[in-house]
Amino acid sequence: MAMPVEVMERMLGRLSHFQFVYNVRQDVAESFRPDHLKSKKWLVHEIISHITVVAGDYYFAKKFDRVAVLGSWNSILLKEMLEAATEIGHWDFYDTNYECHRDRDLYCDSNQLPKNYNSFQTDVKDLFAHEDVHKQYDLIINPSCEHMEDIKAVKGPVYALTSNNYEGIKEHINTISKHEELAVKNGINNIVYEGSLKLTNYTRFCTIGSVK
């Protein structure tokens, strides 16, 4: 799960500039805590390792034309890391908290980064009850499954889901105790990766796959 030093240096430099320009709120800095960093590095590593396309005799990390992130928080780490590993055409970030979307905009503004994304302040549970919404995307990432009810996968996109077993936060309404639960609860039956990552106070679980 090693990340090139230049990627980390660039990202931390941008964060420092962001903090200097906008006097960043505490919860933004919190999204860069060591456990969050480890978790996003792990998620990106597994996405790149297990979602590939074949060209001749070689395997290449797939380019994603459209990516959705459900329960996105500010997704600065996820966006920076995945874009450093492969090409992303466009992102759609979904979160009910307006401040998450504003923080991402300010981060991009302060670092003069292109805004190759849309932000949606909405409840994904109702929106993603519709199959055609899923089918807009190549990749659907839900890094916050513990914060919401299960969303059934549909045939078409690849899904990368993470959850945890940390019950000490009231917003964690849907924790799990083992990684196998993610596939079962979300209807994923073509699994390319399942695993867990032990962190300081909890274990994070991940499933990547699709619907046959």
Side-chain angles (χ1 to χ4, degrees):
M1 287 190 287
M3 177 167 293
V5 173
E6 62 270 18
V7 174
M8 291 298 300
E9 288 177 343
R10 181 176 68 233
M11 187 169 60
L12 293 175
R14 287 173 176 172
L15 175 63
S16 177
H17 186 64
F18 175 36
Q19 289 177 310
F20 175 76
V21 172
Y22 288 109
N23 190 23
V24 175
R25 295 190 340 275
Q26 177 63 34
D27 66 326
V28 178
E30 211 173 281
S31 69
F32 284 78
R33 287 189 307 175
D35 278 354
H36 290 298
L37 186 60
K38 290 177 186 176
S39 179
K40 293 302 181 290
K41 283 174 61 180
W42 173 53
L43 174 60
V44 167
H45 173 81
E46 301 306 342
I47 288 172
I48 295 303
S49 297
H50 296 283
I51 304 175
T52 57
V53 291
V54 181
D57 295 326
Y58 299 95
Y59 287 83
F60 295 95
K62 184 178 180 180
K63 170 191 172 184
F64 299 104
D65 291 324
R66 292 185 66 86
V67 177
V69 184
L70 316 185
S72 61
W73 200 359
N74 61 52
S75 275
I76 294 170
L77 279 177
L78 178 60
K79 185 175 187 297
E80 289 274 37
M81 291 181 181
L82 194 55
E83 286 183 342
T86 191
E87 186 178 349
I88 308 293
H90 183 83
W91 300 81
D92 283 338
F93 295 105
Y94 295 87
D95 201 285
T96 57
N97 188 343
Y98 161 77
E99 291 182 339
C100 296
H101 301 305
R102 182 194 61 193
D103 293 336
R104 181 170 51 253
D105 288 343
L106 294 178
Y107 177 85
C108 290
D109 287 342
S110 66
N111 289 289
Q112 299 182 319
L113 299 175
K115 293 182 181 176
N116 58 335
Y117 61 83
N118 291 324
S119 301
F120 298 94
Q121 186 183 349
T122 187
D123 186 336
V124 294
K125 177 61 178 175
D126 293 334
L127 183 62
F128 279 79
H130 303 282
E131 186 171 322
D132 58 334
V133 176
H134 293 247
K135 291 187 173 182
Q136 300 176 77
Y137 301 106
D138 307 300
L139 173 64
I140 297 176
I141 303 172
N142 189 338
S144 308
C145 291
E146 67 274 13
H147 283 269
M148 64 187 76
E149 296 177 35
D150 299 311
I151 297 173
K152 289 297 183 182
V154 306
K155 191 171 183 178
V158 175
Y159 295 83
L161 312 178
T162 72
S163 188
N164 64 43
N165 61 354
Y166 188 40
E167 298 181 349
I169 299 176
K170 65 178 181 180
E171 291 82 7
H172 286 189
I173 63 168
N174 192 14
T175 57
I176 59 175
S177 58
K178 54 186 179 179
H179 59 74
E180 291 89 350
E181 293 179 57
L182 274 171
V184 174
K185 286 158 67 72
N186 292 277
I188 294 172
N189 56 18
N190 182 32
I191 299 165
V192 297
Y193 173 76
E194 285 184 316
S196 60
L197 179 67
K198 185 73 178 71
L199 299 168
T200 305
N201 295 314
Y202 58 91
T203 300
R204 184 154 286 278
F205 306 103
C206 178
T207 289
I208 299 173
S210 58
V211 177
K212 293 181 181 177

